[in-house]
Amino acid sequence: MTDTRLKDKLDKGDFFVVPGIHDMITAVMADRVGFDIVYGSGYWLTASSLGLPDAGIATYTQMLDRMTTLKKTSSAALIADADTGFGGLLNVAHTVKGYEAAGVSAIQIEDQEFPKKCGHTPYKRLIPVEDMVRKIQVAADTRENMLIIARTDARQSEGLDGTLRRLEAYAEAGADIIFPEALTSEEEMRKACHTFDKPVMANMANGGLTPVLNGTVLKDIGYAFAIYPSLTSLISAAAVEQALVRLRDNLDGEPADMDMFDFETFCRMIGFQEVWDFEKKWAD
């Protein structure tokens, strides 16, 4: 059965925010907080599961496994990063089929050369517009109900005008959602949002090239929604570092001045209640 929650939100037209998920603990916490749409971040799922940079090193098979596991763990609709489609046109078709079979609601494809780079790091190289248009056309022809997000990384090499020209071509090719990556000012954001009659998404990447604005401002600018791919990852990394420093320096395994999630509650969240119920039912 097709999950229509993302499409329904877009059709309704109310701005919404989407947290990035970097591991399954974060997926469980996003469920607990009540998010019904999450973003499977290529950068952060690669970092957490493989300890590698987002530089086209992770394979299609590895990323499909991460997205499949995320979809099984989370009850939310899933927007999934698919890099460049992991190769040429045949790879794009294969990726679309695999992601949709995994239950992904929207697939994000970008116009970088393969292997790609994180959109907020240097040395990105783009493919010709015509090649990306073909990728979008193949994705649109292959998918059944999954939405297609077309991302361009052209801002740093072709300027805002080049970015908008590319996105116009991608929209005409069949993209459902427009993603101008790494815009550098509120003025650029407003122009991008006002150029298209399709939903435009914002990427609020902490520490990246785009200023991280409050959601009320993004709504006023005209974005349909915003993803926050790095928020939970960088917050988690800071907390882990602080705890490990305390352990190293003070031999303190339960620092009183740091928040720590309740262990019993977490056990139930991660599924131990079902294990305990099973053991009780089948106990000798």
Side-chain angles (χ1 to χ4, degrees), residues 31-189:
D31 265 9
R32 175 181 173 84
V33 170
F35 282 101
D36 59 356
I37 300 176
V38 297
Y39 177 72
S41 166
Y43 184 116
W44 297 104
L45 283 169
T46 299
S48 67
S49 64
L50 301 174
L52 293 172
D54 182 21
I57 300 171
T59 66
Y60 160 73
T61 302
Q62 289 170 320
M63 291 311 299
L64 178 62
D65 176 73
R66 291 295 84 200
M67 297 303 177
T68 301
T69 301
L70 173 52
K71 185 56 187 167
K72 289 179 179 178
T73 304
S74 172
S75 64
L78 176 58
I79 301 171
D81 186 353
D83 291 349
T84 64
F86 303 100
L89 298 181
L90 185 60
N91 302 86
V92 170
H94 188 65
T95 299
V96 167
K97 290 178 182 178
Y99 272 46
E100 188 155 29
V104 169
S105 294
I107 187 170
Q108 173 195 312
I109 303 174
E110 63 205 47
D111 58 4
Q112 289 191 44
E113 289 184 5
F114 179 83
K116 55 73 59 88
K117 305 290 189 301
C118 166
H120 293 264
T121 60
Y123 307 115
K124 297 179 292 183
R125 294 186 299 271
L126 306 186
I127 61 175
V129 175
E130 296 77 13
D131 291 352
M132 182 62 175
V133 164
R134 293 286 283 170
K135 285 190 174 187
I136 297 298
Q137 290 172 335
V138 166
D141 185 65
T142 304
R143 58 92 179 267
E144 295 181 10
N145 298 294
M146 185 170 59
L147 300 179
I148 298 167
I149 301 172
R151 167 179 143 181
T152 184
D153 287 79
R155 171 60 186 84
Q156 280 62 53
S157 59
E158 300 179 7
L160 182 61
D161 288 343
T163 295
L164 298 181
R165 283 195 299 270
R166 280 178 173 266
L167 289 176
E168 182 177 6
Y170 304 163
E172 292 177 357
D176 303 292
I177 299 167
I178 303 304
F179 181 1
E181 174 66 304
L183 300 183
T184 59
S185 69
E186 183 176 331
E187 181 182 2
E188 290 185 351
M189 297 180 196

Side-chain angles (χ1 to χ4, degrees), residues 261-273 276:
F261 201 84
D262 180 70
F263 176 65
E264 183 176 348
T265 302
F266 188 84
C267 284
R268 296 181 186 279
M269 286 172 50
I270 206 68
F272 262 109
Q273 185 62 59
W276 299 332

